[in-house]
Amino acid sequence: MRGGEAGYILARIAAGEGQTLDFKQRIDSARKIARTLVAFANSEGGTLLIGVKDNGRIVGIAPEEEYHMIDLAARRYTQPITAFAAKAHMIDNKAILEVSVPPQPEKRPLRALEEDGRWRAYVRIDDQTRLAGSFLEAFWEAQKKPQHIRFRQEEERLLSYLREHPTIDEKAYRALLGPRHAWKARRILIKYLLVGLITMDITPTGQVFRLVS
């Protein structure tokens, strides 16, 4: 089978792994795959193609077994439970399970249960699943609350800096505020993100912020 839905799957495989696509030869650990599920849900959403090696070679799987592992991961090892949809495809007599995870901003931060018993949030950055970190978790929690904007000296320092520089990160803003007011940096950045005065780029090393153009 090479047409229709198979052609769509083959095209996705040819495009390679990235921000919204991940290949898995098979699922060996429900706990570990939970990280990928919450990372997709906390980010732009994404698709898992199970039965495909990292190099794009189709090896095939038993769809029912892999579905059971994904369902177990979502129900037991993610909080809130991560929504997903799954569909099996046959290509050259080999089965692939397509697992689609929509973005779930209303649930953020979604977290995965680790072996140490802690719940941690993850995000997708390019083709990697990474810890979200405390700033993003605080930002997501703040999205659930009403915001009131203020313009004081600390806020004006942020705006003045960004008028002269393309970006700033939390560490640089804390230094800009000085030791007495550094604790306000995160709160102000989050508030200005929520009211739309600045935007955020998520990078492998953290977040950077820029003025809305």
Side-chain angles (χ1 to χ4, degrees), residues 7 33 41 59 67 73 82 117-118 123 128 143 151 169 192 205-206:
I33 202 62
V59 294
Y67 178 87
T82 305
R118 296 183 180 182
V123 290
Q128 299 294 315
Q143 285 182 314
F151 289 99
D169 61 18
Y192 275 33
T205 56

Short mmCIF file of all heavy atoms in Angstrom, two decimals, residues 7 33 41 59 67 73 82 117-118 123 128 143 151 169 192 205-206:
data_model
loop_
_atom_site.label_atom_id
_atom_site.label_comp_id
_atom_site.label_asym_id
_atom_site.label_seq_id
_atom_site.Cartn_x
_atom_site.Cartn_y
_atom_site.Cartn_z
N GLY A 7 0.63 7.37 1.67
CA GLY A 7 1.44 8.42 1.06
C GLY A 7 1.64 9.58 2.01
O GLY A 7 2.74 10.16 2.07
N ILE A 33 7.66 7.68 27.80
CA ILE A 33 6.93 8.27 26.67
C ILE A 33 5.95 9.33 27.17
O ILE A 33 5.53 10.22 26.41
CB ILE A 33 6.20 7.20 25.84
CG1 ILE A 33 5.91 7.72 24.42
CG2 ILE A 33 4.90 6.74 26.51
CD1 ILE A 33 7.14 8.06 23.63
N ALA A 41 1.77 18.40 24.25
CA ALA A 41 0.57 19.07 24.74
C ALA A 41 0.87 20.46 25.27
O ALA A 41 0.07 21.38 25.11
CB ALA A 41 -0.11 18.22 25.82
N VAL A 59 9.86 -0.24 10.57
CA VAL A 59 10.12 -1.59 11.08
C VAL A 59 8.85 -2.31 11.46
O VAL A 59 8.82 -3.54 11.56
CB VAL A 59 11.09 -1.55 12.28
CG1 VAL A 59 12.46 -1.08 11.83
CG2 VAL A 59 10.56 -0.65 13.39
N TYR A 67 -0.60 0.85 21.44
CA TYR A 67 -1.69 1.71 21.91
C TYR A 67 -1.87 1.55 23.42
O TYR A 67 -2.07 2.55 24.14
CB TYR A 67 -3.00 1.37 21.20
CG TYR A 67 -4.16 2.21 21.69
CD1 TYR A 67 -4.44 3.45 21.13
CD2 TYR A 67 -4.95 1.77 22.76
CE1 TYR A 67 -5.48 4.23 21.61
CE2 TYR A 67 -5.99 2.56 23.24
CZ TYR A 67 -6.25 3.77 22.66
OH TYR A 67 -7.27 4.55 23.15
N ALA A 73 0.51 5.38 29.55
CA ALA A 73 1.33 6.56 29.82
C ALA A 73 0.46 7.78 30.10
O ALA A 73 0.70 8.53 31.05
CB ALA A 73 2.25 6.83 28.63
N THR A 82 -3.28 13.57 29.54
CA THR A 82 -3.04 14.14 28.22
C THR A 82 -3.96 13.49 27.19
O THR A 82 -4.00 12.27 27.05
CB THR A 82 -1.58 13.92 27.80
OG1 THR A 82 -0.72 14.46 28.79
CG2 THR A 82 -1.29 14.59 26.46
N GLY A 117 9.23 10.13 41.83
CA GLY A 117 7.94 10.48 42.38
C GLY A 117 7.51 11.91 42.15
O GLY A 117 6.42 12.31 42.57
N ARG A 118 8.35 12.71 41.50
CA ARG A 118 8.01 14.10 41.23
C ARG A 118 7.32 14.25 39.87
O ARG A 118 7.59 13.49 38.95
CB ARG A 118 9.26 14.97 41.27
CG ARG A 118 9.94 15.02 42.64
CD ARG A 118 11.13 15.96 42.61
NE ARG A 118 11.80 16.03 43.89
CZ ARG A 118 12.84 16.81 44.15
NH1 ARG A 118 13.34 17.60 43.20
NH2 ARG A 118 13.41 16.81 45.35
N VAL A 123 8.55 20.53 27.51
CA VAL A 123 8.17 21.21 26.28
C VAL A 123 8.95 20.59 25.12
O VAL A 123 9.95 19.91 25.32
CB VAL A 123 8.43 22.73 26.32
CG1 VAL A 123 7.48 23.42 27.27
CG2 VAL A 123 9.88 23.02 26.70
N GLN A 128 13.63 17.87 20.21
CA GLN A 128 13.98 17.40 21.54
C GLN A 128 12.85 17.67 22.55
O GLN A 128 12.13 18.66 22.44
CB GLN A 128 15.25 18.11 22.03
CG GLN A 128 16.47 17.87 21.16
CD GLN A 128 16.92 16.42 21.18
OE1 GLN A 128 17.00 15.82 22.25
NE2 GLN A 128 17.23 15.87 20.02
N GLN A 143 -1.43 32.51 33.54
CA GLN A 143 -2.42 32.67 32.47
C GLN A 143 -3.84 32.43 32.95
O GLN A 143 -4.80 32.88 32.32
CB GLN A 143 -2.10 31.70 31.32
CG GLN A 143 -0.92 32.11 30.47
CD GLN A 143 -0.68 31.15 29.32
OE1 GLN A 143 -0.67 29.93 29.51
NE2 GLN A 143 -0.49 31.68 28.13
N PHE A 151 2.95 50.79 35.19
CA PHE A 151 4.20 51.33 34.65
C PHE A 151 4.94 52.02 35.80
O PHE A 151 4.61 53.15 36.17
CB PHE A 151 3.94 52.31 33.51
CG PHE A 151 3.45 51.64 32.26
CD1 PHE A 151 2.10 51.63 31.96
CD2 PHE A 151 4.33 51.02 31.39
CE1 PHE A 151 1.64 51.01 30.80
CE2 PHE A 151 3.87 50.39 30.24
CZ PHE A 151 2.53 50.38 29.95
N ASP A 169 16.94 38.30 28.63
CA ASP A 169 16.48 37.11 29.34
C ASP A 169 16.26 37.47 30.80
O ASP A 169 16.54 38.59 31.25
CB ASP A 169 17.46 35.94 29.18
CG ASP A 169 18.85 36.23 29.72
OD1 ASP A 169 19.01 37.18 30.51
OD2 ASP A 169 19.78 35.49 29.36
N TYR A 192 3.85 41.17 31.47
CA TYR A 192 3.96 41.83 30.17
C TYR A 192 3.76 40.86 29.01
O TYR A 192 3.29 41.25 27.95
CB TYR A 192 5.30 42.57 30.07
CG TYR A 192 5.25 43.95 30.67
CD1 TYR A 192 4.46 44.23 31.78
CD2 TYR A 192 5.99 44.99 30.14
CE1 TYR A 192 4.40 45.50 32.33
CE2 TYR A 192 5.95 46.28 30.68
CZ TYR A 192 5.15 46.51 31.78
OH TYR A 192 5.08 47.77 32.32
N THR A 205 18.33 26.82 25.95
CA THR A 205 18.97 27.29 27.18
C THR A 205 18.03 28.14 28.05
O THR A 205 18.45 28.63 29.10
CB THR A 205 20.23 28.13 26.85
OG1 THR A 205 19.85 29.21 25.98
CG2 THR A 205 21.28 27.26 26.17
N GLY A 206 16.80 28.34 27.63
CA GLY A 206 15.87 29.14 28.41
C GLY A 206 14.96 29.97 27.54
O GLY A 206 14.69 29.60 26.40
#
